Amino acid sequence: MGDTQAQPEGGPSGGTRILRNSVAGLSSAFTVQRLQLAAKAALAAGLAFAIAPLMPGSAAEYPYYAPLGALVSMYRNVAGSFRQGLQALVGLALGIGLAFALVSVGDPSPLSVAVVMGLGVLLGGLPRIGSGSDWIPTAALLVLLVGGSNRDDFSFGYLIQMGVGVAVGIAVNFLVFPPLHFDAAATSLGKLRLALGRQLTDMGTALTEKWPPEHEDWSRRSTELAEAASTVRHLVQEADASRRANPRRRLHPRDVDLDYRNLRELERVTFHIQDMTEVLSDVIWTDDAPYTVPFNDSAPLATAMTATGELLASFDGEDEAEQRRLFAAAKSAVEAGMATVAERAQEDSAVTASESILLSLHRIVRAVRPAS
């Protein structure tokens, strides 16, 4: 079956969907984290511009580059601010050096501009330079065309003021509520568990309905589940990065290694549930599927799926005793399903999908068993 879902009758109109998507986009743009980052960027830029006139010599004549440096170094975590700011300064230094090398050969011309841009982009491919790659051709072009006959002073002022801005930006990000993204990671792990549990319980319901089932939304969620797992991995990595060089990590300790272990388990669970979704969809809607689910297997399979789905959902708020009870129920249901299928297989040697589904359920239960 394809992943494309037909618009059901009575669903939202095109205009409603556009409005809903626009509201969702605005909501994502004005999150608390984004507002905090914007406030710190504003503070850093203002401070940098206030400090800029105090710089020595000709650097004081180019104060407008200090706020730019502050903006460049403003990142969503402290370690990223250090990295991005230093990479920008390295790129600037390389670009300035490139411009001076070309100016020593001759005056600016269309040819020299073309050469400086080409070489700047080429140098941007150097390893470990990261975001600084964009600053190499930019700095070279500014020195070549804006510096004019005063290139020495311009280059000195440009680099010094950008350095001031970068330093201020890093300091503000380090000292003013340095962000920790632990909550987003924890919430996303919980939501993924709930989504996977819902998928299993929906498939369990489909096995108890008259075929083809009336409800078939579950059959089109494979891509959605994969995207959700990818989003969770990104958020866990963000949480890990946010604790590096962050002074608040001691006040808000979190076992990010445990988050990674839970993530890897859920990624395996996602894989197995995707496989079960495709197998069951083929059984129900594909006429030439090479396997079936015998009628006598439907009830034990449905029970095993539902019990496993409830186990997955229990990790989002249930106490340990309830999780252990649900784990025992899921394990018992899977084992009962295996026994039923094995007994039926002795009488009927036909190839079925029951064994594949039960094997996936067994692996899921083993992956999410509560810690002993």
Side-chain angles (χ1 to χ4, degrees):
M1 296 189 60
D3 290 328
T4 303
Q5 217 179 139
Q7 176 65 41
E9 292 184 7
S13 65
T16 303
R17 287 198 305 274
I18 292 173
L19 178 61
R20 188 166 56 193
N21 292 338
S22 299
V23 171
L26 288 173
S27 299
S28 64
F30 293 100
T31 60
V32 174
Q33 292 82 2
R34 194 71 183 176
L35 291 173
Q36 288 176 347
L37 184 64
K40 290 198 291 185
L43 174 62
L47 287 175
F49 193 64
I51 295 172
L54 305 178
M55 291 302 100
S58 60
E61 300 176 13
Y62 305 95
Y64 36 83
Y65 287 116
L68 180 60
L71 183 62
V72 166
S73 64
M74 194 54 57
Y75 196 73
R76 54 183 175 271
N77 58 62
V78 177
S81 283
F82 278 105
R83 183 181 63 254
Q84 191 159 285
L86 291 177
Q87 287 173 344
L89 292 179
V90 170
L92 283 172
L94 288 173
I96 290 171
L98 176 62
F100 270 90
L102 289 177
V103 167
S104 65
V105 177
D107 294 331
S109 66
L111 178 60
S112 63
V113 169
V115 170
V116 77
M117 293 303 292
L119 290 177
V121 172
L122 188 62
L123 289 174
L126 291 172
R128 298 181 179 275
I129 199 167
S131 60
S133 62
D134 296 331
W135 288 98
I136 298 175
T138 302
L141 191 63
L142 286 174
V143 171
L144 192 66
L145 300 182
V146 179
S149 59
N150 198 25
R151 291 189 186 90
D152 290 348
D153 289 344
F154 175 81
S155 299
F156 174 74
Y158 186 18
L159 189 58
I160 290 296
Q161 294 291 16
M162 285 289 290
V164 168
V166 166
V168 171
I170 292 174
V172 167
N173 211 13
F174 181 82
L175 297 173
V176 181
F177 200 73
L180 286 169
H181 300 299
F182 294 159
D183 290 343
T187 300
S188 67
L189 284 165
K191 287 183 177 180
L192 180 57
R193 288 191 187 98
L194 290 174
L196 293 170
R198 176 192 173 198
Q199 180 71 356
L200 283 178
T201 54
D202 284 355
M203 287 194 290
T205 300
L207 280 167
T208 62
E209 294 179 340
K210 181 180 178 181
W211 285 12
E214 179 182 350
H215 304 96
E216 57 182 84
D217 289 348
W218 57 269
S219 66
R220 294 186 281 261
R221 291 186 194 141
S222 185
T223 301
E224 180 182 328
L225 292 175
E227 291 174 350
S230 178
T231 298
V232 174
R233 171 162 286 278
H234 171 73
L235 291 174
V236 171
Q237 290 173 336
E238 281 285 308
D240 186 15
S242 72
R243 64 177 179 160
R244 298 172 188 166
N246 194 320
R248 295 178 60 230
R249 62 180 296 182
R250 297 184 182 278
L251 300 176
H252 304 275
R254 182 174 181 83
D255 190 351
V256 177
D257 292 334
L258 177 60
D259 287 338
Y260 274 117
R261 291 196 296 273
N262 290 335
L263 169 64
R264 288 191 291 270
E265 290 172 355
L266 289 179
E267 287 176 334
R268 289 197 294 270
V269 170
T270 302
F271 170 79
H272 291 306
I273 291 179
Q274 285 179 296
D275 182 65
M276 293 166 60
T277 301
E278 293 175 6
V279 168
L280 194 56
S281 296
D282 286 345
V283 167
I284 296 174
W285 285 288
T286 303
D287 294 333
D288 58 349
Y291 38 74
T292 62
V293 172
F295 178 77
N296 291 338
D297 294 351
S298 297
L301 284 177
T303 301
M305 282 186 178
T306 301
T308 306
E310 291 173 350
L311 171 64
L312 278 171
S314 74
F315 286 86
D316 190 56
E318 298 287 355
D319 57 32
E320 289 188 11
E322 179 65 7
Q323 289 175 11
R324 293 184 183 281
R325 185 190 70 79
L326 291 170
F327 171 77
K331 182 179 178 182
S332 177
V334 172
E335 291 174 348
M338 288 180 170
T340 299
V341 170
E343 182 179 352
R344 190 261 312 144
Q346 292 178 355
E347 303 173 0
D348 183 4
S349 60
V351 177
T352 72
S354 306
E355 292 86 349
S356 173
I357 292 173
L358 285 166
L359 180 59
S360 293
L361 288 172
H362 170 72
R363 289 173 173 168
I364 291 170
V365 171
R366 187 173 62 181
V368 299
R369 62 184 179 276
S372 57

